[in-house]
Amino acid sequence: MIRPILAAAIAASTAMPVVAEDIARQDTPAITVSGEASVSAPPDLAQIDAGVASDAKTAREAAEANNAAMAKVLQALKAAGIADKDYQTSRLSLQPQYQQNRPGQPAVTGYRASNRVTIKVHDVSKVAGVIDTLVGAGANDVGNIYFTVAEPSKLLDQAREKAVADARRKAEIYAKAAGVTLGQPLNIAEDGAPAPVFRAKTFAAPMAATPTPVAQGEETLSVTVSVTWAIKAAQ
């Protein structure tokens, strides 16, 4: 028969390795720093928001006019070589229009129907041509254009390596200033969800038949990591 005190001692000794490991980990002298890095690259994907707005006296007339106008825009996109999978309806709207600056209950003066699509352009050199195609087909509500990198994984991996190197550089500075030696990394954590930084440009529908100027610039992908390093007394 195992006495209660001995049984308790056996149970404690069984759990001891995990507890001791946790305590040792908590008691390990360490320093935590953040590392940052960015990688820039020309965008290879653009997204355009555009559509048609139609006004009429009745809701039915506005909807019918808008449907006909949007059909022409979609046909023009198809004729320009835009694949069906690369444009998608993003917003449909039918709203009454009210007389402005009238005292009392505002009167409905008509209706506005709008239909917007989001278009992906995989060749950014064709963005201006796509915008001109949209406007030429009757799109009178051209909104934002976003440039980005379609597959940022490789670029982000480069930024990750640079961010860890930046963290080591900072840690070595602190270790030297504190008179200690930098050891192995104990923990590495990436802060947030890294993603390309989008740039947006708003276009008004051109009135003249001149090409639409578009500047694509560069996209910047940023990564921040937090690294905990073991430290020990300098020898």
Side-chain angles (χ1 to χ4, degrees):
M1 176 179 180
I2 300 177
R3 295 181 179 179
I5 296 177
L6 181 57
I10 293 174
S13 65
T14 303
M16 186 60 69
V18 176
V19 175
E21 182 180 351
D22 292 342
I23 293 175
R25 187 180 301 156
Q26 294 173 3
D27 292 343
T28 300
I31 181 173
T32 300
V33 296
S34 293
E36 301 173 349
S38 298
V39 176
S40 295
D44 56 6
L45 177 66
Q47 179 175 297
I48 304 170
D49 291 332
V52 178
S54 306
D55 295 328
K57 289 293 184 181
T58 68
R60 183 181 183 85
E61 290 173 342
E64 290 179 347
N66 192 255
N67 291 342
M70 195 62 191
K72 292 180 180 179
V73 170
L74 296 181
Q75 289 174 1
L77 288 174
K78 185 182 292 290
I82 305 297
D84 291 346
K85 65 182 179 63
D86 287 331
Y87 55 89
Q88 183 180 49
T89 299
S90 57
R91 184 174 183 269
L92 284 170
S93 175
L94 179 62
Q95 299 289 337
Q97 303 297 296
Y98 298 95
Q99 184 174 356
Q100 301 298 321
N101 301 322
R102 179 178 178 178
Q105 186 70 23
V108 175
T109 59
Y111 290 84
R112 169 167 292 184
S114 63
N115 188 335
R116 295 181 63 82
V117 292
T118 299
I119 306 113
K120 290 182 179 180
V121 183
H122 296 278
D123 184 350
V124 294
S125 67
K126 297 181 178 180
V127 168
V130 172
I131 294 174
D132 292 338
T133 297
L134 289 166
V135 175
N140 57 7
D141 187 8
V142 182
N144 292 331
I145 175 171
Y146 300 90
F147 288 105
T148 186
V149 177
E151 297 182 1
S153 299
K154 291 183 179 179
L155 293 172
L156 284 172
D157 287 345
Q158 295 177 22
R160 290 181 176 106
E161 291 180 3
K162 293 181 178 180
V164 173
D166 183 54
R168 176 181 287 277
R169 179 187 62 82
K170 293 177 181 177
E172 288 175 345
I173 292 174
Y174 286 122
K176 182 178 179 180
V180 297
T181 301
L182 200 64
Q184 296 295 318
L186 301 176
N187 183 67
I188 301 176
E190 191 171 282
D191 297 344
V197 178
F198 297 138
R199 290 189 179 94
K201 179 67 176 178
T202 300
F203 290 90
M207 299 301 294
T210 57
T212 301
V214 175
Q216 66 188 48
E218 284 191 336
E219 295 307 301
T220 301
L221 299 88
S222 300
V223 170
T224 301
V225 297
S226 179
V227 185
T228 299
W229 308 82
I231 56 175
K232 55 186 177 180
Q235 297 180 352

